[in-house]
Amino acid sequence: MTERVELDEIDLKILSELQRDGRLRYNDMAQRVGISAPACRRRVRALRSRGVIRDVRASLDERSLGYEVTSFVLIQLTSQNQATLEAFEASIARLPLVQQCWRISGEADFLLKCVARSVQGMHQQLLQFSVMPEVRTIRSFPVLGVSKDAPLPLPDIPMVADPARSRDQ
């Protein structure tokens, strides 16, 4: 389990700004959080080295790239022993259309987020899962739409002034 990292108010402001816009330049971020650009750069590097910032990447629209179907798939394995779990995870790691894979507890062992170009493509994915020797049951849930996609809430963060909004008001 990951240990909780102590963060001060400036760290939290930096994280909030990065969640809002991962392309933000150090100079602009530093101005928004109230520190110098070199200090801001050092803090971001420290947050990365401590594992608080895992990565910064673009969030792409699946449909714009031809992936018409997003689905969540619950997988129950034949066993929960370590070898079975690792074999399944290794198989899933090789499938590029499986976007995320979570190990969960309850009636299933894994929850997958998958994309496909069509319903037929989703069906092919399910067939791929069904031939894996570790898989006992599969339940799929095609996504009809996204109602919420929010950034991670940060603990006790004060409101960060948005310079663009203050000019409009």
Side-chain angles (χ1 to χ4, degrees):
M1 189 193 276
T2 304
E3 283 188 39
R4 184 162 182 211
V5 176
E6 291 299 319
L7 303 170
D8 66 17
E9 185 176 326
I10 299 295
D11 291 334
L12 293 170
K13 287 179 180 179
I14 288 170
L15 294 173
S16 177
E17 292 296 334
L18 282 173
Q19 282 194 118
R20 189 174 304 150
D21 182 359
R23 299 173 302 154
L24 194 60
R25 295 182 333 201
Y26 287 118
N27 291 344
D28 296 331
M29 187 184 324
Q31 184 177 21
R32 289 183 187 183
V33 303
I35 60 176
S36 70
C40 185
R41 189 176 306 108
R42 278 192 303 275
R43 281 180 174 261
V44 170
R45 286 182 181 150
L47 289 165
R48 282 190 178 131
S49 71
R50 292 162 58 196
V52 176
I53 299 172
R54 290 191 310 223
D55 58 27
V56 178
R57 57 184 162 173
S59 177
L60 306 178
D61 180 73
E62 294 95 344
R63 289 182 181 247
S64 295
L65 297 171
Y67 298 104
E68 294 295 323
V69 179
T70 299
S71 61
F72 287 94
V73 179
L74 285 172
I75 302 283
Q76 183 182 45
L77 300 181
T78 57
S79 167
Q80 286 75 39
N81 70 44
Q82 196 63 29
T84 302
L85 294 169
E86 289 173 2
F88 177 76
E89 288 174 331
S91 296
I92 290 302
R94 291 188 293 270
L95 301 176
L97 298 180
V98 176
Q99 297 297 289
Q100 295 176 327
C101 177
W102 295 282
R103 192 183 295 185
I104 60 175
S105 67
E107 80 183 56
D109 299 303
F110 287 91
L111 174 64
L112 313 179
K113 179 185 177 191
C114 305
V115 294
R117 295 201 179 277
S118 64
V119 172
Q120 182 60 31
M122 183 183 88
H123 179 73
Q124 291 302 314
Q125 283 179 338
L126 297 175
L127 291 174
Q128 278 183 306
F129 302 147
S130 70
V131 298
M132 292 178 182
E134 306 84 20
V135 173
R136 174 179 290 153
T137 61
I138 303 166
R139 292 182 62 201
S140 64
F141 303 89
V143 173
L144 301 177
V146 177
S147 300
K148 182 177 180 179
D149 184 9
L152 186 66
L154 299 172
D156 304 322
I157 186 166
M159 293 301 292
V160 178
D162 184 348
R165 284 190 189 165
S166 60
R167 280 182 280 157
D168 295 337
Q169 294 178 348

